[in-house]
Amino acid sequence: MNSFYYNRNREMHCENLSLKTILDKVKTPIYVYSSSKIEENYSSLASQLGDLDHLIAYSVKANSNISVIKTLANLGAG
């Protein structure tokens, strides 16, 4: 399933949360991340690397969002 999608009422959601609900609470500008999509992409890359000795590393300079960093660290990223 796509992490970002429109429901029947054409309201955009991230995972199971309406983006309108988020916007009503925190206003804009805002960045919304899908932890399930981050996990899916990490797993896809890790599986493609297979048995190769590897470390998937994440650049904190690219995005210092602590939740993104924690999600990747919990998956084993460096």
Side-chain angles (χ1 to χ4, degrees), residues 16-29:
N16 291 318
L17 185 61
S18 165
L19 294 185
K20 183 179 181 329
T21 300
I22 297 170
L23 290 173
D24 287 345
K25 289 184 180 183
V26 298
K27 307 298 180 211
T28 60

Side-chain angles (χ1 to χ4, degrees), residues 17-53:
L17 185 61
S18 165
L19 294 185
K20 183 179 181 329
T21 300
I22 297 170
L23 290 173
D24 287 345
K25 289 184 180 183
V26 298
K27 307 298 180 211
T28 60
I30 185 173
Y31 291 96
V32 178
Y33 300 94
S34 166
S35 58
S36 65
K37 189 63 175 175
I38 292 169
E39 292 167 359
E40 178 186 324
N41 288 345
Y42 179 93
S43 295
S44 176
L45 178 57
S47 70
Q48 293 299 312
L49 295 172
D51 293 333
L52 292 174
D53 185 21

Side-chain angles (χ1 to χ4, degrees), residues 33 55-65 68-69 72-73 77-78:
Y33 300 94
L55 170 66
I56 298 173
Y58 180 74
S59 172
V60 176
K61 285 184 180 180
N63 182 341
S64 60
N65 180 301
V68 170
I69 294 167
L72 289 165

